[in-house]
Amino acid sequence: MDSSEQEKVDGDIGVEKKKDKTANGYGGDGGEPKGTASSADQDSGDFYDVEIEKSNGEKEEKPPQESKEESTSISSKTEEFNDKEITINSPKIYCNARNHYLPAIKSQAHLPKPDPPATPRVERSQSLSIAETMPSIGKYISDRSSSFSAAIVRRLSSWKEDNGDLVVKNDSLNLEVTEFHIPGVKVIVKLKSEAERLGLDLKGRISFFTRSNCRDCTAVRHFFREKGLIYVEINIDVFPKREKELIERTGSSQVPQIFFNEKWYGGLTALNELRNSGEMEVKLREMVGERCPEGAPPIPVHGVDDEEEEDDVLLETVRSLRKTLPIQDRLIKMKMVKNCFSGVDLVEGIMDHLDRGRKKSVITAKLMVQKHFFHHVFGENEFEEGNHFYRFLEHEPFIMGCFNYRSSTNDSEPKPASFLADRLSKLMFAILEAYASDDRLHVNYSGIDRSEEFRRYLNVARDLQRVNMKLLSPNERLALFLNLHNAMAIHAVISIGHPEGVLDKRAFFNEFLYLVGGYPYSLNIILNGTLRRNRTSPYSFFRPFSKGDRRLELAPPKLNPLIHFGLCNGTRSSPAVRFFTADGVESELRCAAKEYFQRGAIQFNMEKRTVYLTRIIKWYNEDFGTEKDILKWVMKYLDSTQSGLLAHLLADDGHINIMYQDYDWSGNL
């Protein structure tokens, strides 16, 4: 071939290559996105890119012909383990990937192509697996990787028997996966449940009765979770009507009480005997054959409310007034007030409906105000007959922003405030036990959103609309506002998401509202208005409550700085989410503070004489006093090591630098 013919052939090849390049994402307008292999690529490529990721984070290119040798060399490393915490990352294979590694060489279009070998046609209703669609070299490496993983698992099993120091990590939110750490190798193994290990197909049912915030119930729950056994938990704090059934079956209301099918076995002590004696396998085998009989404790019914609502005794009168009163917009004190009515019209309306005298009608109107059916438009008084104007609760301008409001106010007879406070705490305890990690630092919000416990909590939140908060004792009120803040934070994450930017934080802390006792409450109002006794929030110049705001009457007698360590706002740097009881709220707050500081909220640099504190203390420094007072106050909640370091710095009266840690606003997922 002379030079002119050679140039012509080269030119044709160049044109064909350009077409291929355009058609496969390298350029042009009609090609597929870059990095996407077309169906033609899967047949014509002769070489494939293989990327192997080492345990130290480096990436090494390996041509296909070296993959077998590489797999062999990796397998040989199983004999060189020196420690018990190593990491293995399976090789990542990129077939026909258009990247900066080894480019795939395509056959030339003008040359004849060999016929592909005949392959049997596969017919199935679903798509082929990854291994079947992968080219031969990729399939080979995948098979070798699977064999290697199986060998590691077998070796780990033998090590676990011979060496009791093997490190095992259980993910509390995914109990089917266990992570083993050996030097240089990271193997994630899906463990078999107890029933799978014994080869049992359980058709029966394990059930047990529990209460919220019960240590023995928690121990039983953890036992069944660790064994991987499916169980039905009947929390009588969530399902109150089931307590009667518990008493009928066991003769007592004590919990936990465990049932294998319809047979009552006992509580935690009986379960420990069963475990220690090795009789658990016998009990499980008894549940293999027949399905669970009808005599077993039934599974709780979701979506059905146990508690019956009772209409308010004044409801008929209120409904009549809503229809007959002249409700209209009025200009009052140079302000346009919407949907209001006068006190005179209200008294006359009550007189006409109940056929009572004026004095009794005024008493009835005051009783309606106490039950929060309506309020004075400016909050100047509860009720006085005369030229004063009032507005029904459903016409308040803030009402549509309240997330515990459903198209109309709750007109049922208000339940006692102490009952609702207790009910709220028990439901939220049950939610944490089911959908939070053991240390309560991670929360499964999507699971909470779908749960029966959360649905029932929303009903309790709706009952708070017209509750009389003044009937609570100071400790009951403190526990309720702490619990309400943490429950609202969970609800806010589910409804509007974790706060990221400035606008998100404003919506999260200031605009997510609950209607409680006839007035709106946000996370900011609960913290800075009520619990902090109307102090300004960080980076703000205005107090939450104006003069005469009736919500300030519910504030604690004095400010307790420990509240900051009992409040969780759904972020990683906030304290762990928890709920409180009225009887033990003070001691529970002290435990919360100790736990938070031991988790890293204080750190030391002895050479530089520097103490690093949580930024929460900087934001609310007026609650803790001067810097020296802060260090002395903090010392009461440190462990012995931390307390010793801080005491050493304070002993010589030298200058101590106080710096504040960064705050992680990401979600506690």
Side-chain angles (χ1 to χ4, degrees), residues 299-553:
I299 298 174
V301 179
H302 290 197
V304 178
D305 296 321
D306 296 333
E307 301 169 6
E308 298 179 358
E309 300 291 338
E310 180 182 353
D311 287 343
D312 195 294
V313 294
L314 296 174
L315 183 57
E316 283 194 18
T317 304
V318 172
R319 286 176 176 171
S320 174
L321 294 173
R322 287 169 176 167
K323 296 177 181 178
T324 59
L325 285 178
I327 299 174
Q328 57 188 2
D329 300 345
R330 291 178 170 89
L331 184 64
I332 306 172
K333 296 182 179 181
M334 302 303 294
K335 293 181 180 180
M336 180 59 66
V337 181
K338 295 185 177 181
N339 300 320
C340 60
F341 55 87
S342 68
V344 174
D345 292 336
L346 178 68
V347 172
E348 292 179 355
I350 296 175
M351 292 172 60
D352 293 341
H353 180 76
L354 298 178
D355 193 18
R356 292 181 178 178
R358 183 170 295 275
K359 288 185 177 181
K360 290 185 177 180
S361 297
V362 171
I363 294 175
T364 302
K366 290 183 177 180
L367 183 58
M368 289 180 179
V369 172
Q370 292 176 5
K371 289 191 172 185
H372 303 291
F373 279 112
F374 60 85
H375 291 145
H376 191 280
V377 292
F378 299 132
E380 295 177 355
N381 58 62
E382 288 191 351
F383 180 79
E384 292 180 7
E385 185 183 8
N387 193 25
H388 298 281
F389 293 91
Y390 303 88
R391 181 163 45 200
F392 282 112
L393 188 59
E394 59 268 25
H395 293 154
E396 293 284 0
F398 56 77
I399 193 71
M400 295 306 297
C402 295
F403 280 74
N404 65 335
Y405 173 82
R406 303 175 187 170
S407 69
S408 64
T409 53
N410 186 358
D411 289 334
S412 301
E413 181 70 24
K415 296 182 175 66
S418 57
F419 169 81
L420 292 178
D422 182 65
R423 183 89 175 118
L424 185 149
S425 65
K426 288 179 177 178
L427 286 171
M428 297 312 296
F429 273 124
I431 286 175
L432 286 190
E433 290 165 355
Y435 301 102
S437 59
D438 291 340
D439 56 9
R440 304 178 309 283
L441 296 178
H442 305 283
V443 181
N444 180 4
Y445 291 99
S446 60
I448 294 175
D449 187 23
R450 300 189 300 268
S451 69
E452 174 68 11
E453 294 89 341
F454 187 66
R455 189 193 70 82
R456 294 185 178 228
Y457 158 76
L458 294 179
N459 289 338
V460 174
R462 188 168 182 264
D463 288 337
L464 293 172
Q465 292 179 6
R466 297 192 299 110
V467 67
N468 190 349
M469 300 284 287
K470 294 180 180 179
L471 299 179
L472 294 173
S473 67
N475 279 351
E476 287 178 328
R477 211 174 296 157
L478 174 61
L480 176 58
F481 278 115
L482 290 169
N483 293 339
L484 188 61
H485 178 282
N486 293 346
M488 285 179 62
I490 292 175
H491 192 183
V493 171
I494 292 173
S495 299
I496 63 178
H498 283 94
E500 296 181 0
V502 176
L503 295 179
D504 290 342
K505 292 176 183 176
R506 176 180 176 83
F508 190 89
F509 291 103
N510 296 305
E511 297 174 4
F512 186 89
L513 302 174
Y514 267 21
L515 177 62
V516 181
Y519 297 97
Y521 285 86
S522 65
L523 296 177
N524 177 49
I525 287 176
I526 291 176
L527 171 56
N528 299 296
T530 303
L531 296 176
R532 296 185 65 226
R533 297 180 54 82
N534 204 26
R535 297 192 178 187
T536 58
S537 59
Y539 314 114
S540 175
F541 300 101
F542 302 99
R543 297 179 184 272
F545 297 148
S546 58
K547 185 178 179 180
D549 196 309
R550 297 188 179 275
R551 289 172 290 182
L552 191 54
E553 298 174 1

Side-chain angles (χ1 to χ4, degrees), residues 24 32 36-44 96:
N24 290 283
E32 297 176 7
T36 303
S38 65
S39 59
D41 293 336
Q42 297 178 1
D43 296 327
S44 61
N96 290 328

Side-chain angles (χ1 to χ4, degrees), residues 23 42 45 111 144 172 178 182 186 249 256 259 312 327 368 392 444 453 465 534 544 564 575 631 647 653 663:
Q42 297 178 1
L111 298 179
R144 293 289 296 178
S172 60
T178 295
I182 306 175
K186 179 179 180 181
R249 289 180 178 271
F259 289 79
D312 195 294
I327 299 174
M368 289 180 179
F392 282 112
N444 180 4
E453 294 89 341
Q465 292 179 6
N534 204 26
H564 297 291
L631 295 179
D653 293 330
Y663 194 91

Side-chain angles (χ1 to χ4, degrees), residues 60-79:
E60 180 179 351
E61 300 172 24
K62 293 291 181 182
Q65 58 268 27
E66 294 180 14
S67 61
K68 182 176 181 180
E69 298 174 5
E70 178 66 19
S71 299
T72 305
S73 63
I74 294 176
S75 300
S76 65
K77 292 180 181 179
T78 61
E79 303 297 331

Side-chain angles (χ1 to χ4, degrees), residues 70-309:
E70 178 66 19
S71 299
T72 305
S73 63
I74 294 176
S75 300
S76 65
K77 292 180 181 179
T78 61
E79 303 297 331
E80 300 176 2
F81 300 145
N82 298 321
D83 200 310
K84 300 199 174 43
E85 291 189 301
I86 53 174
T87 303
I88 279 186
N89 291 321
S90 299
K92 294 183 179 179
I93 303 167
Y94 300 88
C95 298
N96 290 328
R98 305 303 185 194
N99 51 32
H100 61 279
Y101 294 101
L102 185 63
I105 301 177
K106 300 183 64 66
S107 60
Q108 299 178 6
H110 67 283
L111 298 179
K113 298 182 179 180
D115 294 333
T119 56
R121 183 178 180 182
V122 179
E123 295 183 359
R124 57 179 66 179
S125 59
Q126 54 185 344
S127 60
L128 299 178
S129 64
I130 297 176
E132 291 171 318
T133 56
M134 189 183 297
S136 58
I137 183 64
K139 187 175 184 300
Y140 172 76
I141 294 178
S142 177
D143 293 341
R144 293 289 296 178
S145 176
S146 300
S147 301
F148 172 61
S149 299
I152 290 295
V153 172
R154 289 194 297 270
R155 185 168 183 83
L156 287 172
S157 300
S158 62
W159 278 31
K160 187 174 181 180
E161 295 175 359
D162 299 336
N163 193 335
D165 296 332
L166 182 64
V167 177
V168 179
K169 281 189 178 180
N170 278 332
D171 183 355
S172 60
L173 297 181
N174 187 2
L175 297 172
E176 295 184 349
V177 175
T178 295
E179 185 174 322
F180 298 91
H181 286 280
I182 306 175
V185 178
K186 179 179 180 181
V187 181
I188 297 179
V189 183
K190 182 177 180 180
L191 297 180
K192 291 184 178 180
S193 68
E194 187 75 6
E196 292 174 337
R197 184 181 65 81
L198 298 174
L200 303 178
D201 181 16
L202 297 183
K203 296 182 180 179
R205 183 166 69 233
I206 300 173
S207 310
F208 62 95
F209 288 83
T210 65
R211 290 185 186 272
S212 299
N213 198 27
C214 170
R215 291 185 179 181
D216 289 353
C217 299
T218 300
V220 172
R221 189 183 304 111
H222 283 182
F223 173 80
F224 287 125
R225 284 181 179 177
E226 289 174 358
K227 293 294 184 181
L229 296 171
I230 298 176
Y231 60 86
V232 173
E233 180 177 352
I234 307 168
N235 189 323
I236 59 179
D237 286 332
V238 178
F239 305 97
K241 287 189 175 181
R242 300 298 296 270
E243 184 174 4
K244 181 179 179 181
E245 176 190 348
L246 172 63
I247 297 174
E248 292 175 352
R249 289 180 178 271
T250 65
S252 171
S253 61
Q254 296 295 319
V255 291
Q257 299 294 342
I258 305 168
F259 289 79
F260 292 92
N261 285 338
E262 79 284 7
K263 298 178 182 178
W264 171 45
Y265 190 76
L268 179 61
T269 302
L271 183 62
N272 287 332
E273 293 175 357
L274 191 67
R275 177 180 56 185
N276 297 333
S277 64
E279 293 294 321
M280 175 60 74
E281 182 176 343
V282 177
K283 287 291 182 183
L284 293 178
R285 291 189 183 280
E286 292 177 357
M287 302 171 63
V288 172
E290 300 180 356
R291 293 186 178 276
C292 183
E294 295 182 358
I299 298 174
V301 179
H302 290 197
V304 178
D305 296 321
D306 296 333
E307 301 169 6
E308 298 179 358
E309 300 291 338

